[in-house]
Amino acid sequence: MTAPQTRERVVKALEGVAFDTIDARDGMLTLRVERAVLGELFARLSDRAGFDQNTLVTAVDHFPAEPRFEMVWQFLSYDHNDRVRVKCSLAEADAHVPTCTPQWPGASFSERECFDMFGVRFDGHPDLRRLLMPDGYLHHPLRKDFPHAGIEPDRLYREWDKKRREGWQPNA
Amino acid sequence: MTTKQVFEYMHHAPDHDDPVHGAPMKVNMGPQHPATHGVLRLAIELDGETVTSIDPIVGYLHRGKEKTCESLGWHKFFPHTDRLDYVQPLLNNVGYALACEKLAGIQVPQRGQEVRVLLMELSRVMAHLIYIGTTSIDLGAVTIFFYSFRLREELYSILDAYTGHRMNNTYVRIGGVYADVDENVEGMVAEFLRTAPARLDEIEKLLTANRIWHDRNRGVGVISVEDAKRLSLSGPNLRGSGLAYDLRKAQPYSGYETYDFDVPVGTVGDAYDRYLVRMEEMRQSLRLCTQALERLKKSKGADVLTEDRRYVLPPKGDVHSSMEELIAQFKIVSDLRLPKGEAYHAVESSKGELGFYLVSDGSSKPVRCHIRAPGLMNVQAVPVLGRGRLLSDMVAIIGGLDFVMGEVDR
Amino acid sequence: MGSLKPVEGEGVGFLATRVDELINWGRKNSLWPMPLGLSCCGIELMAMIGPKFDLARFGAEAARFSPRQCDLLVVAGTMTWKMAEAVRTIYDQMPDPKWVIAMGVCSSSGGMYDSYAVVQGVDSILPVDVYVPGCPPRPDAVIDAIIKLQKKIEREDPLRRLLKGPENKPDIGTGEAFKQPNAGIARSSLDLHPHDPKAKLEELQK
Ligand code: SF4
C-alpha cells in the first residue's frame, strides 16, 4: 500500500546505505537497518528525502526474546505528505543508538522519554536525563520485566519525607 | 502584516530598562502554579527580568498509560484514552479506535463515521474553549473564562444527554460508536450550533481588538515554519506559523475528505496568531458539525457499529437475554485479539497530531502502545520560544502553545 | 445563622451566641479553597467555579493560588509520587485550621490507575476530611461535599483548641494506629487532623 513515489524517493536518497524494507500492516514504508548506518540514514532522510518532522522515537521490548529491544523512529515529510518508519534491533547488553537530534531537535524529548522508559541510551544527545520519572528512580518502567504495580513506588517520597520531618516544628 | 514587520517581531529585543542586570537568578515556576496548564514545572534562569534559560520538567502527572495498555488489553484501554487530553475525551477515543481499526483492518459504517465527526468537532470546540478560558485568566482577562465556560457548559449538557456523563465519556468503540445519537441530542446540537457563533463573537469582541491582549500576545513566542517543523510542532501551533497542514485534509480519516471546511493559518507565528487560528478553527468546527448533523438526519436508522463480531461488542439488550452474546461480550472485553502486526494512526487533535502506534503479537495483550502526544512537543518548544523574553511573557507563551498535562505526561 | 438568638429588651435589640459558634459560623461560610487541579478533575473544578454551578453561592469561591491564604485544599485529580512532595509541601504551608477534600476516585483511592507512578489515595500522605467519588465527580457532588464540610466545621470546638494550644506531639513517624490499608507510608501523629473526631475521642478519654 506504500505509495510508490515515497519508496522511490527514499530508495534514491538512501543509495549506498544498507537497509531492508518490510511490509507493515498499516502500509507505511518501513525500513529495517543495522545500528552502524543509523547516523548516515538520519542525515540522508533529513537532507535528501525531505523528511522534516520526527513523529516519534520509541522502543518495543520483546522480552524474553533476543535481541530484546526494537527501536522505532517515524518521520513525516510535510512537502510530500508521507511517512517513513525506521526500525533497528538492539541487544539488552549494549542498548545504545545514535541520536537524531542534530537533524530533528524535536526528537529530544522523545529520546529522553525512551531512555527513561526503556533504558536505551542515545549517544550524542545533549541532555540525556529522565523525562517522566523523577531523577533517582532506579527502574525503567516500560520494560516487560517491570511489574505494572511498580517496585517501591514511594521510595523517593519516603526519603524526602524523612528529611522533612527532621526539621519539623509543629508549633512554628 | 508585511515581511518587514514580521522581521521586527522576530528580532524584537526586550524593550525594558532593567537596572538589575548581571545577577542571574533561578526561579521555579510550578508544578502547582496557577498559570501553568496543569502540573508543569519550569526551572527558569533570569537575568533581571529577562529569561536566559528554561528547563521544563514534566512527569508530574505520569500515570503509566502505556504500561496500563500493555497489561489491560486492547478494549479495556478505552477509558484511559479519555484521560489523555482530558479536555477533549471523545477525540482521543476516536484516535485510539482508528488505530485499532487499522490494525484489525475493519471499516466503520457510514453513520458511525458521521457520529464520530460530530463528536470530534464538538470536542475540538470544547478543547479550544478551555484554551481561551485558561489563557485569558492567566493574562488577566478573567471575564472570558466565564464566557467560555458558559459555552462549554452547553456542550457538557449535550454530551451528558448523549453519553450520560459530562466528561470522560468513553463512548467510542472499535468499529464505531457505542450508541446512536437520538433526536433529542440532535436537537440540542442544532440549538447549540444556532447560538454558538454569536457567543464566539462575544468572546472575540472582548479579545481580538483588545489593547491589553495585543500587548501581551503580539510578537510573543514567534516561531518560523521551518523551526516549527523541526521542533515537531503540529496542529494550531504549526498553522499559526503559516503552514496549512491539517491531518484532516492531508491524510483524511473518518470521511473528512467529503466535508467542506477551511484550514486557517497565521502569518507571524506568535501567540496572537495561534489565538486567531484557534478562534477560526472553532468556527470551522461548527461548520463541520452542521454538515455532519445534516448527514445524520439523512442516514437515520443505519448502523453505527460494524457487524464484524470478531472485534465488536454485541448489543447490550442481547447480552442480558442470551448466553452466547454474554460469552461474546466477555471474550471481547477481556480477551480481544487484534491481528499480528503494527499500525500507526494519527488524528488531528486540538493540540496537534495525536498518534497511536500499536504493536500486536496476535495475543490479547498488546506488545506496545505508544502514544504520540502533541502536547509533549509543545512543551518542548517552551524553552525555544521563551529564551530572551521577559518572565511575564512566559505566561502568554505557555498559554499560546496550549498543552494539557494529562497528555504530555501520559 | 442558626446559632444566633435574638434577645429582645426594652429599647435594645442584640444577638446572643457562643464564641465557638460564631467562629465556626465565620469559618464555614468563608472557606478559601486552594484548587489543586492536578488533572481531569481540575477541569470539573473549573466548571464548578464557572457560571453554571457558581460556587460563590456557598461562600467558597475566593480561590487563591497561594497556600498561605487558603484553608481548604481541594485535591482534584491523580496524584503521582513525583507530585506528592509538592502536594505535601502545599499542605504544610497552609495555615491552621485547614481542611482537605479529595475530589475524584483518583485522589480518594488511586482510582483506575493501579500503576507504578500513582499514589493510591491522597490519604496516604494527607489527612482527608471529605471524599468525593466519581470520575470526575459532577460539580454538584463537590458542592455537596463542601456543604458536608461546612456541617462538619459547625461541630468543631475552636475555643477549646485555642486555649489548650495546638497539639504539640513529638513526631514519632510510626503512627501504626492510623495506618491505612492502602497507604504506602505510615502516617505520623502529625498527620492527625486537628479536627479529627478520633483525636477528640482520645482526648476525652485521657
Ligand atoms: S478521578 Fe477520573 S476524572 Fe478525576 S483525575 Fe482521576 S481519572 Fe481524572
Side-chain angles (χ1 to χ4, degrees):
Chain A
M1 270 192 308
T2 312
Q5 312 90 285
T6 310
R7 183 181 291 263
E8 216 171 86
R9 196 173 94 248
V10 170
V11 168
K12 193 156 159 261
L14 292 184
E15 230 170 6
V17 178
F19 68 91
D20 294 337
T21 56
I22 39 182
D23 284 330
R25 195 170 162 84
D26 57 353
M28 197 184 296
L29 175 63
T30 305
L31 317 176
R32 174 178 287 290
V33 295
E34 291 297 318
R35 180 168 64 203
V37 301
L38 272 174
E40 179 66 23
L41 181 102
F42 291 149
R44 299 274 189 98
L45 282 182
S46 159
D47 303 339
R48 294 202 200 166
F51 288 99
D52 34 19
Q53 188 226 50
N54 168 277
T55 314
L56 57 87
V57 179
T58 189
V60 182
D61 187 0
H62 290 294
F63 184 76
E66 271 300 329
R68 179 169 175 178
F69 296 114
E70 190 173 45
M71 293 298 302
V72 181
W73 291 262
Q74 226 170 266
F75 304 103
L76 168 71
S77 161
Y78 284 110
D79 296 341
H80 305 93
N81 190 20
D82 51 12
R83 298 173 188 274
V84 67
R85 185 184 290 141
V86 179
K87 288 181 149 200
C88 168
S89 291
L90 294 180
E92 189 187 353
D94 70 338
H96 65 99
V97 285
T99 175
C100 65
T101 43
Q103 285 82 24
W104 297 279
S108 168
F109 270 27
S110 310
E111 290 185 352
R112 276 177 65 187
E113 188 200 333
C114 187
F115 164 67
D116 186 358
M117 291 291 144
F118 290 95
V120 176
R121 304 197 66 86
F122 289 85
D123 308 332
H125 189 286
D127 182 23
L128 196 64
R129 283 175 294 147
R130 282 184 181 274
L131 183 75
L132 299 176
M133 301 309 287
D135 295 331
Y137 195 74
L138 296 176
H139 312 276
H140 299 291
L142 277 181
R143 290 189 171 192
K144 290 281 179 202
D145 47 1
F146 182 83
H148 183 200
I151 304 166
E152 282 195 303
D154 55 343
R155 182 181 62 83
L156 288 170
Y157 177 79
R158 209 187 298 194
E159 280 168 14
W160 175 85
D161 196 50
K162 220 188 246 161
K163 254 188 258 150
R164 174 179 74 92
R165 285 177 183 186
E166 271 163 18
W168 181 260
Q169 295 289 329
N171 279 338
Chain B
M1 190 123 323
T2 64
T3 330
K4 187 164 165 292
Q5 271 169 316
V6 176
F7 190 77
E8 271 169 14
Y9 270 129
M10 285 181 69
H11 300 273
H12 169 77
D15 50 350
H16 56 109
D17 202 3
D18 190 0
V20 277
H21 270 306
M25 182 168 52
K26 281 197 175 167
V27 174
N28 186 34
M29 212 166 152
Q32 174 54 35
H33 185 277
T36 57
H37 293 212
V39 283
L40 169 70
R41 179 172 155 214
L42 298 175
I44 302 178
E45 252 176 61
L46 290 176
D47 173 15
E49 279 264 315
T50 316
V51 176
T52 51
S53 86
I54 307 168
D55 181 16
I57 300 170
V58 298
Y60 287 95
L61 193 53
H62 176 61
R63 306 188 263 198
K65 300 237 182 214
E66 294 174 5
K67 189 87 179 172
T68 307
C69 182
E70 286 162 27
S71 53
L72 278 187
W74 298 111
H75 215 285
K76 286 190 210 159
F77 187 57
F78 264 108
H80 289 261
T81 57
D82 283 325
R83 287 140 182 96
L84 275 173
D85 185 351
Y86 38 74
V87 298
Q88 43 157 27
L90 287 161
L91 214 161
N92 304 332
N93 280 176
V94 178
Y96 178 64
L98 281 169
C100 288
E101 280 151 17
K102 208 175 207 180
L103 196 53
I106 52 179
Q107 284 296 322
V108 180
Q110 191 59 32
R111 188 171 167 87
Q113 292 191 2
E114 287 157 7
V115 176
R116 278 183 177 187
V117 169
L118 181 70
L119 296 181
M120 277 196 276
E121 294 310 318
L122 289 180
S123 305
R124 196 181 314 278
V125 177
M126 282 175 97
H128 285 341
L129 282 174
I130 282 273
Y131 152 79
I132 298 279
T134 51
T135 309
S136 55
I137 274 201
D138 295 350
L139 295 178
V142 183
T143 329
I144 311 297
F145 168 77
F146 293 101
Y147 277 75
S148 73
F149 259 79
R150 186 172 84 183
L151 204 49
R152 219 178 124 87
E153 284 293 343
E154 286 173 17
L155 284 167
Y156 271 149
S157 323
I158 293 172
L159 291 187
D160 204 356
Y162 173 46
T163 70
H165 201 7
R166 288 157 53 85
M167 260 178 82
N168 294 353
N169 320 74
T170 320
Y171 233 54
V172 179
R173 298 287 184 274
I174 296 175
V177 290
Y178 178 68
D180 204 350
V181 288
D182 57 13
E183 259 133 45
N184 176 26
V185 177
E186 274 175 18
M188 287 172 90
V189 176
E191 177 63 20
F192 172 77
L193 293 176
R194 199 175 61 73
T195 55
R199 297 280 169 83
L200 287 180
D201 283 347
E202 265 174 7
I203 296 176
E204 276 223 85
K205 234 182 252 166
L206 287 168
L207 286 182
T208 306
N210 184 329
R211 179 67 207 275
I212 304 171
W213 191 252
H214 276 221
D215 285 354
R216 295 297 301 271
N217 278 314
R218 286 182 79 165
V220 172
V222 181
I223 188 160
S224 68
V225 176
E226 206 40 49
D227 288 352
K229 280 181 188 170
R230 294 282 163 176
L231 272 174
S232 303
L233 287 184
S234 48
N237 295 334
L238 180 64
R239 291 194 285 275
S241 295
L243 182 70
Y245 188 87
D246 188 321
L247 285 172
R248 289 175 292 174
K249 289 260 191 217
Q251 297 170 7
Y253 50 90
S254 292
Y256 266 117
E257 63 275 20
T258 58
Y259 290 83
D260 181 24
F261 66 104
D262 299 326
V263 180
V265 290
T267 46
V268 188
D270 57 1
Y272 187 70
D273 265 356
R274 286 175 219 134
Y275 154 75
L276 288 179
V277 166
R278 291 204 177 90
M279 280 315 275
E280 186 52 37
E281 256 181 36
M282 277 197 263
R283 291 174 201 283
Q284 296 300 332
S285 291
L286 295 181
R287 242 177 102 190
L288 277 164
C289 287
T290 317
Q291 295 169 35
L293 206 60
E294 268 164 26
R295 295 186 193 194
L296 281 175
K297 287 216 175 87
K298 275 185 217 131
S299 67
K300 192 145 279 169
D303 274 346
V304 288
L305 210 53
T306 55
E307 290 286 295
D308 192 336
R309 279 301 179 77
R310 283 173 302 165
Y311 305 111
V312 172
L313 289 173
K316 213 41 177 194
D318 298 353
V319 173
H320 294 311
S321 55
S322 128
M323 193 66 201
E324 285 75 39
E325 299 288 26
L326 184 65
I327 293 171
Q329 152 130 350
F330 181 74
K331 274 208 82 114
I332 282 173
V333 170
S334 61
D335 194 37
L336 180 71
R337 285 154 201 258
L338 293 189
K340 190 168 158 43
E342 59 192 323
Y344 176 83
H345 194 281
V347 294
E348 182 74 31
S349 98
S350 65
K351 311 284 181 293
E353 174 182 344
L354 172 70
F356 288 86
Y357 173 65
L358 309 177
V359 184
S360 166
D361 62 353
S363 75
S364 60
K365 292 268 182 266
V367 176
R368 184 85 175 91
C369 162
H370 178 79
I371 301 157
R372 195 270 184 197
L376 187 67
M377 306 304 160
N378 297 354
V379 173
Q380 190 171 239
V382 170
V384 181
L385 301 192
R387 203 170 298 136
R389 307 290 317 186
L390 296 183
L391 182 61
S392 56
D393 287 343
M394 291 305 300
V395 179
I397 290 173
I398 293 171
L401 282 173
D402 187 26
F403 36 80
V404 164
M405 295 316 282
E407 175 193 62
V408 173
D409 295 342
R410 281 156 286 154
Chain C
M1 195 169 169
S3 59
L4 287 194
K5 307 276 178 312
V7 178
E8 303 281 334
E10 265 177 46
V12 284
F14 57 93
L15 301 162
T17 182
R18 287 169 52 212
V19 180
D20 256 2
E21 293 196 351
L22 186 67
I23 293 175
N24 282 344
W25 171 77
R27 280 182 178 170
K28 84 169 196 209
N29 286 318
S30 64
L31 287 169
W32 283 31
M34 158 99 201
L36 190 61
L38 299 177
S39 61
C40 353
C41 279
I43 303 289
E44 282 294 74
L45 197 64
M46 281 190 221
M48 191 170 83
I49 297 171
K52 187 167 175 189
F53 292 92
D54 193 11
L55 199 54
R57 294 175 293 161
F58 305 93
E61 89 285 12
R64 290 291 179 276
F65 290 94
S66 161
R68 303 269 184 214
Q69 301 175 342
C70 300
D71 48 12
L72 170 62
L73 182 68
V74 185
V75 186
T78 323
M79 188 166 82
T80 60
W81 284 111
K82 194 173 176 181
M83 189 66 196
E85 296 170 11
V87 175
R88 181 69 218 200
T89 312
I90 288 172
Y91 179 75
D92 287 346
Q93 285 174 347
M94 284 166 58
D96 259 350
K98 48 193 171 187
W99 300 274
V100 179
I101 289 180
M103 176 181 175
V105 284
C106 278
S107 48
S108 300
S109 71
M112 58 198 291
Y113 299 102
D114 193 7
S115 81
Y116 55 92
V118 177
V119 180
Q120 302 296 305
V122 289
D123 50 6
S124 17
I125 69 159
L126 305 172
V128 178
D129 290 278
V130 187
Y131 299 87
V132 192
C135 184
R138 300 175 70 96
D140 343 15
V142 189
I143 289 175
D144 182 48
I146 286 178
I147 293 172
K148 285 215 169 78
L149 185 66
Q150 289 179 341
K151 290 209 176 115
K152 185 176 173 178
I153 295 172
E154 231 169 53
R155 296 195 301 268
E156 276 172 7
D157 225 346
L159 264 196
R160 186 168 159 182
R161 205 175 118 71
L162 191 75
L163 296 175
K164 245 188 81 227
E167 280 150 71
N168 187 4
K169 291 183 191 159
D171 187 5
I172 316 161
T174 52
E176 282 302 316
F178 298 100
K179 196 162 179 177
Q180 302 280 315
N182 62 348
I185 50 163
R187 299 170 74 199
S188 75
S189 61
L190 283 175
D191 290 336
L192 250 186
H193 197 276
H195 316 290
D196 197 339
K198 255 192 224 158
K200 222 177 228 177
L201 208 69
E202 270 182 8
E203 218 171 77
L204 291 176
Q205 279 167 355
K206 257 181 218 161

